[in-house]
Amino acid sequence: MITLRINGLPVSVEEGTTLLEAAQFIGFPIPTLCHMEGLTPYGACRLCVVEIGEEARAKLVSSCTYRVEEGLQVRTTSSRVLKARKMILELLLASCPQSKTIQDLASAHVINQQRFRQEYEDCILCGRCVRMCEEQMAAKAIGFRGRGEKRSLGTPFDKNSEVCRQCGGCIYVCPACELRCTYTTPEQAICGGCQNISPPCIEKEMFHDTMCYMDPCVACEIKKD
Amino acid sequence: MEKLQSIDEFQFLHDRLIAERDPDSPTIIIPAGTCGQASGANDLIRIAKRELLNKKYTDTIKIRITGCHGFCEMEPSILIEPSGIFYPKVDAKKMVHIVEAVAKGDVLKDLLFIDPKTENPIERQADIPFFKKQVRTLLCRNEKIDPIRIFNYIENDGYSAMARAFSSGNPRWVIEEIKASGLRGRGGAGFPTGLKWERLANQPNGNGKFIVCNADEGDPGAYMDRSLLEGNPHSIIEGMLIGAYGTGATQGIIYVRNEYPLAIKHLLIALRQANQLGLLGEHILGTGFSFDIKIVRGAGAFVCGEETALIKSIEGKMGEPRQRPPFPVEQGIHGQPTSINNVETWANIPIIIGLGAREFAKVGTKENTGTKIFSLVGKIKNTGLVEVPMGITIDRIVNEIGDGQIGQRNIKAVQTGGPSGGCIPAGMFHLSIDYESLAKAGSIMGSGGMIVMDEHTCMVDLAKYFMGFLKEESCGKCFICRKGTQRMYEILDDISAGRGTLEHLGLLEELGSVVKDASLCGLGQTSPNPVLSTLRYFREEYIEHIQKKRCPAGVCKDLITYVITENCTGCQLCLKSCPAAAIRGEKKERHRIDLQKCNKCGVCKSVCKFDAVETR
């Protein structure tokens, strides 16, 4: 067993446990996006960063990939961590505003501004689908290609993959397209944020449970464009 | 070539080669690295050979074709041994005269290097300020060695350090020597090499260990690793042999970028020759120690210089960094312990073992020992590779070795460390060059790129250039690095186009600090440096772009206009060269630019012989 301190609290876990698992074990929530139980940790979204080490040597690491070390000091909500998390969420919101998962994360972290030029991307390249396809479905039908801004996801040469069984696992795990906001179609709406807009763009009475706290509602902004 | 069976046989070969050498016979040395060849060294070689054959000098005069000597500004150059005479900027005609002069033992006074300060010709290379003020431990070997001849290397005490390490019979001694030398990794991070090797040596042997030479030099404007690989490939092989002996590594890999064809060619020849001579392979020199080196070619991704991405690339996977720990010394290539060192680090190893750690550590400062090669480029008189002791001030490199500014334009900053580095303003040139003080100033040592900038360099444009490079070269795995660099580029683009606001500056700083903090690998963690350091030292330039919509350096296209001043003589040269047909005017009358048509390409400014075109 390895003993470390998370936010000052001692915790003993088995060797090989990640910081994320250890923190969840004693009940400190850490937001995640690319992480998914059952898939190998990837460390791509950087939302789960935590601060480790002391003073000058303190640094941020992704808790989903970092393994516990004896005597490690971990802070899951230091100001440095929160600043990074908020900026990452702001960037996510600027690129992929339709995702319900991202909207929820953003509202939970009280992101009330978005200072970048709005983009509407469908994929945040978190790699959940790639790992799902390879590790759980044993198909390896999709993968990453390119680097930097040209990085993208798909089947080889964008042709129908022979190994794809069309199981839909990739769609199921996608945080960008699962529960996608349906803009202003009330019958399908799941977010309810639109009713906070003034003047309201849809009939308010259609919504009883407000789930989305986005202000302004990005979905409505899209509609306007 | 016969295989050498023992250290004694090697020693015998070494002594024989030295005895056969005639130190007084004149030799014409032609540097023909990639840079030399580009400036015409191949023609000089052909002419020199033809002259020697035609005039029957082949018995008396030798030719040696070497790698780059470092003085790029004066290439193609010729060096004569043993007199040490240096001829800069040689062309075909001059070459014929030089061969004749060498045969007669003359010096061609009017072809010599002219000291720009005193305007006196300087005869010997060693007296030229550019060379005189350097400490050329690594680079001076380039001019002595023909890289494709192993005997040439052995004759110059090559592989002697390896023989010394082998005859010590104690691998630990090698590691202790490297530790005592204080050598720090030359790839940029400055991790003590001895410590890394000790960790590798302490790993259980299992299925073998790897040592890797990282020759994936991708920084724009940096080429010191290339010149070492091209000019002295055996020193890298010797360094790796010593490293393998010390750490117990069984396989060596040189990861070299495919953009360096000459370096790969010379390495392949060197590896083949070392193999034939029994310096690589099984049972080297009868010691029972086996080691082999293979070459892996990089496919051109900048991020593959990062060690965990490099490992993935060697394994044949996509070049993406991963979380450390586990460090490569614990789990590297195929899960085996791996030590990755930079080309320049490997080149230093034979020198440390040959000279002794204590002698090596005398150069430089206490924490930063030895010499470092910088590629000095940009707006400076003497561009080239300079090798200086660690701890020297930037001012000495720029003003003494580099000979300072060109013309009237004041130097305003140097950019060190490539795209991940930062700018250091002229006011801080008293800073000594070592890992710590550069990091404190917001830059990094990096692998040794040093770009000098003057008043005609726009800092916003510079930051934009590097950010554009990084947004393309980020692997894209971690979101904050991929999007962060893209967004920083977007904001910089806005500022340079006059769409910026003052809030953008705060946003840039905030975003930069998060990208630095939260990124996975070294590329991401250092990527905001160009933006943050220019914002720190040249904020007023940014503000001028935003508030006055003006680019003080006259670079940002959207913020400048081209104007023809009274200096115009009406020669019509700009009029004829303008691709947009935006210039009008009669002969011998002042021309005018139609701003509606002008596409700001700048051709008029570059062709004007009277400095009559200005940017405002």
Side-chain angles (χ1 to χ4, degrees):
Chain A
M1 297 294 269
I2 287 177
T3 308
L4 68 157
R5 278 174 180 275
I6 301 181
N7 296 341
L9 273 182
V11 53
S12 291
V13 287
E14 269 177 46
E15 200 184 335
T17 315
T18 63
L19 293 183
L20 178 69
E21 287 162 345
Q24 283 170 344
F25 177 64
I26 53 167
F28 286 117
I30 295 176
T32 58
L33 189 59
C34 70
H35 176 78
M36 190 170 202
E37 233 167 88
L39 303 179
T40 32
Y42 191 49
C45 74
R46 315 307 291 171
L47 255 189
C48 68
V49 285
V50 292
E51 193 177 3
I52 59 165
E54 290 305 311
E55 284 162 20
R57 304 192 66 187
K59 59 174 179 180
L60 300 188
V61 294
S62 51
S63 60
C64 66
T65 53
Y66 205 92
R67 311 258 163 207
V68 288
E69 286 167 11
E70 189 63 46
L72 196 69
Q73 300 276 357
V74 183
R75 291 171 294 281
T76 63
T77 48
S78 66
S79 57
R80 198 169 160 190
V81 170
L82 290 180
K83 185 183 162 198
R85 240 174 239 166
K86 283 191 161 192
M87 180 53 84
I88 293 167
L89 280 168
E90 193 177 333
L91 284 169
L92 279 167
L93 214 48
S95 298
C96 198
Q98 301 102 306
S99 159
K100 174 75 169 62
T101 316
I102 292 171
Q103 287 180 4
D104 284 350
L105 279 166
S107 66
H109 286 81
V110 205
I111 310 296
N112 43 24
Q113 55 179 354
Q114 196 288 91
R115 292 165 286 179
F116 303 98
R117 201 167 294 157
Q118 189 65 56
E119 289 173 351
Y120 304 102
E121 286 177 3
D122 293 328
C123 177
I124 49 169
L125 300 172
C126 68
R128 268 195 191 187
C129 51
V130 176
R131 283 171 289 152
M132 181 74 181
C133 188
E134 181 180 347
E135 294 166 14
Q136 295 294 341
M137 296 302 158
K140 255 188 177 178
I142 48 174
F144 289 113
R145 58 267 169 107
R147 62 176 184 272
E149 55 182 351
K150 295 200 188 79
R151 187 177 167 98
S152 64
L153 250 172
T155 55
F157 308 105
D158 283 325
K159 294 239 166 76
N160 271 343
S161 167
E162 287 170 13
V163 291
C164 171
R165 298 190 295 271
Q166 298 181 340
C167 68
C170 46
I171 301 171
Y172 179 72
V173 297
C174 179
C177 62
E178 71 172 339
L179 304 181
R180 179 185 290 266
C181 179
T182 51
Y183 311 147
T184 47
T185 328
E187 309 82 56
Q188 295 161 2
I190 41 147
C191 114
C194 324
Q195 60 182 312
N196 298 325
I197 292 276
S198 65
C201 55
I202 49 164
E203 295 94 61
K204 236 180 180 175
E205 58 269 23
M206 301 281 298
F207 294 90
H208 301 294
D209 311 313
T210 305
M211 288 162 68
C212 173
Y213 301 94
M214 297 307 303
D215 186 25
C217 172
V218 197
C220 300
E221 294 292 305
I222 304 170
K223 200 69 179 177
K224 265 188 238 163
D225 289 345
Chain B
M1 264 186 273
E2 230 168 80
K3 257 197 173 140
L4 300 170
Q5 301 294 345
S6 66
I7 299 175
D8 285 340
E9 269 183 39
F10 168 78
Q11 216 61 47
F12 182 74
L13 171 73
H14 172 252
D15 295 345
R16 199 192 79 208
L17 287 171
I18 288 189
E20 280 170 5
R21 180 167 69 176
D22 177 11
D24 298 327
S25 80
T27 309
I28 299 173
I29 301 171
I30 309 175
T34 301
C35 43
Q37 293 189 1
S39 54
N42 281 342
D43 286 342
L44 299 188
I45 296 170
R46 214 181 42 199
I47 291 161
K49 280 183 180 165
R50 191 188 66 202
E51 287 297 304
L52 293 189
L53 283 170
N54 282 354
K55 301 197 173 143
K56 309 224 162 28
Y57 293 142
T58 39
D59 293 335
T60 48
I61 303 175
K62 290 197 190 100
I63 291 186
R64 190 189 306 143
I65 297 152
T66 69
C68 170
H69 299 182
F71 203 177
C72 304
E73 193 66 33
M74 294 298 155
E75 296 234 325
S77 58
I78 299 287
L79 179 67
I80 312 293
E81 255 183 17
S83 57
I85 297 166
F86 176 80
Y87 295 109
K89 294 189 176 168
V90 179
D91 57 21
K93 223 183 238 170
K94 288 180 186 170
M95 191 68 225
V96 177
H97 294 305
I98 289 170
V99 172
E100 202 56 40
V102 172
K104 286 185 192 142
D106 285 350
V107 180
L108 295 170
K109 289 260 188 272
D110 38 339
L111 296 188
L112 289 174
F113 177 80
I114 308 288
D115 189 337
K117 289 215 172 76
T118 59
E119 297 193 348
N120 290 330
I122 299 177
E123 216 168 88
R124 293 176 58 242
Q125 170 173 305
D127 296 331
I128 295 172
F130 177 80
F131 291 104
K132 202 174 167 183
K133 287 176 177 158
Q134 297 183 42
V135 178
R136 293 161 52 87
T137 320
L138 297 174
L139 283 176
C140 77
R141 298 176 96 193
N142 270 15
E143 60 203 45
K144 300 220 159 42
I145 291 160
D146 186 336
I148 58 165
R149 290 175 215 280
I150 190 170
F151 287 153
N152 214 234
Y153 182 64
I154 294 174
E155 186 184 311
N156 285 287
D157 292 335
Y159 290 110
S160 296
M162 177 200 70
R164 192 169 172 212
F166 285 0
S167 39
S168 76
N170 179 10
R172 283 280 153 183
W173 173 79
V174 172
I175 292 184
E176 288 309 319
E177 277 293 287
I178 303 297
K179 269 171 83 178
S181 74
L183 176 69
R184 297 175 68 173
R186 296 293 193 248
F191 191 81
T193 308
L195 220 59
K196 199 188 255 183
W197 285 16
E198 192 174 41
R199 287 189 190 166
L200 183 69
N202 289 340
Q203 292 292 323
N205 215 345
N207 299 324
K209 300 176 192 173
F210 288 91
I211 50 175
V212 177
C213 169
N214 182 351
D216 192 52
E217 181 183 48
D219 291 3
Y223 51 99
M224 43 276 146
D225 292 354
R226 189 192 72 204
S227 94
L228 284 175
L229 287 171
E230 284 175 2
N232 199 354
H234 283 290
S235 70
I236 312 294
I237 297 171
E238 187 182 1
M240 290 182 80
L241 272 161
I242 296 169
Y245 182 73
T247 59
T250 45
Q251 175 71 51
I253 291 173
I254 300 176
Y255 186 87
V256 53
R257 60 199 303 237
N258 209 26
E259 288 92 331
Y260 286 176
L262 191 67
I264 293 173
K265 183 177 150 197
H266 285 180
L267 270 172
L268 285 170
I269 294 172
L271 286 175
R272 196 184 65 220
Q273 289 176 340
N275 249 317
Q276 284 171 348
L277 211 56
L279 300 175
L280 278 176
E282 300 283 311
H283 208 51
I284 297 167
L285 295 187
T287 53
F289 162 68
S290 302
F291 180 66
D292 208 0
I293 298 176
K294 68 171 186 181
I295 291 183
V296 175
R297 297 175 198 203
F302 178 67
V303 72
C304 286
E306 201 277 343
E307 56 179 11
T308 54
L310 185 142
I311 288 171
K312 284 255 177 78
S313 176
I314 289 176
E315 290 172 346
K317 296 178 186 149
M318 200 167 180
E320 273 175 10
R322 62 154 171 81
Q323 168 90 52
R324 294 179 304 179
F327 286 94
V329 277
E330 293 149 9
Q331 271 180 41
I333 301 169
H334 302 303
Q336 302 304 320
T338 305
S339 167
I340 300 168
N341 297 93
N342 176 261
V343 172
E344 210 182 321
T345 315
W346 289 117
N348 268 305
I349 302 296
I351 291 180
I352 293 170
I353 299 295
L355 276 177
R358 208 169 282 168
E359 200 61 33
F360 178 85
K362 277 184 188 162
V363 180
T365 62
K366 195 160 167 279
E367 299 293 319
N368 293 267
T369 55
T371 57
K372 173 85 192 83
I373 306 177
F374 288 96
S375 63
L376 190 62
V377 293
K379 310 279 181 64
I380 192 161
K381 271 193 210 127
N382 295 340
T383 57
L385 292 177
V386 298
E387 186 177 351
V388 290
M390 292 276 214
I392 187 178
T393 60
I394 299 175
D395 183 63
R396 285 195 57 194
I397 296 187
V398 171
N399 288 323
E400 289 185 18
I401 299 171
D403 204 18
Q405 66 200 51
I406 304 169
Q408 298 301 314
R409 307 168 180 179
N410 292 327
I411 290 175
K412 73 174 173 191
V414 292
Q415 211 275 351
T416 66
S420 316
C423 288
I424 294 168
M428 288 174 74
F429 278 8
H430 58 274
L431 216 67
S432 76
I433 293 187
D434 55 68
Y435 294 98
E436 283 74 28
S437 37
L438 285 180
K440 220 182 270 172
S443 184
I444 58 164
M445 174 82 95
S447 56
M450 194 176 268
I451 303 168
V452 183
M453 290 161 295
D454 66 12
E455 287 162 346
H456 288 240
T457 318
C458 169
M459 297 320 248
V460 180
D461 186 65
L462 177 96
K464 188 178 127 185
Y465 168 77
F466 280 123
M467 211 37 76
F469 178 84
L470 286 164
K471 84 176 160 85
E472 275 169 28
E473 291 300 337
S474 152
C475 79
K477 173 180 174 177
C478 77
F479 176 77
I480 186 72
C481 167
R482 182 183 74 242
K483 261 295 162 233
T485 48
Q486 282 177 38
R487 294 302 191 175
M488 279 191 274
Y489 178 83
E490 188 181 285
I491 297 173
L492 290 167
D493 191 44
D494 277 352
I495 295 177
S496 73
R499 295 189 297 264
T501 61
L502 284 178
E503 285 76 46
H504 274 150
L505 299 185
L507 183 59
L508 267 180
E509 274 169 334
E510 196 184 327
L511 178 59
S513 75
V514 171
V515 174
K516 202 172 188 156
D517 247 7
S519 285
L520 169 62
C521 77
L523 189 147
Q525 284 160 9
T526 52
S527 64
N529 278 350
V531 177
L532 294 179
S533 68
T534 47
L535 262 176
R536 180 164 156 192
Y537 298 119
F538 299 96
R539 204 184 185 88
E540 69 284 0
E541 268 192 45
Y542 280 85
I543 293 175
E544 203 155 345
H545 278 77
I546 293 168
Q547 286 186 328
K548 296 186 184 155
K549 310 279 176 217
R550 202 180 146 259
C551 176
V555 176
C556 297
K557 268 190 185 176
D558 293 318
L559 303 182
I560 52 170
T561 43
Y562 283 87
V563 191
I564 296 177
T565 64
E566 290 151 7
N567 289 351
C568 179
T569 58
C571 71
Q572 292 202 313
L573 192 59
C574 57
L575 187 148
K576 282 171 195 154
S577 347
C578 180
I583 301 178
R584 265 177 284 164
E586 294 301 313
K587 248 186 189 172
K588 294 188 179 169
E589 271 174 35
R590 185 174 160 186
H591 294 356
R592 307 230 171 262
I593 298 177
D594 183 350
L595 296 180
Q596 299 287 315
K597 284 186 185 168
C598 174
N599 63 4
K600 296 175 189 175
C601 66
V603 167
C604 48
K605 191 173 159 76
S606 57
V607 296
C608 182
K609 290 174 182 154
F610 308 96
D611 277 337
V613 185
E614 271 183 11
T615 50
R616 281 185 191 153

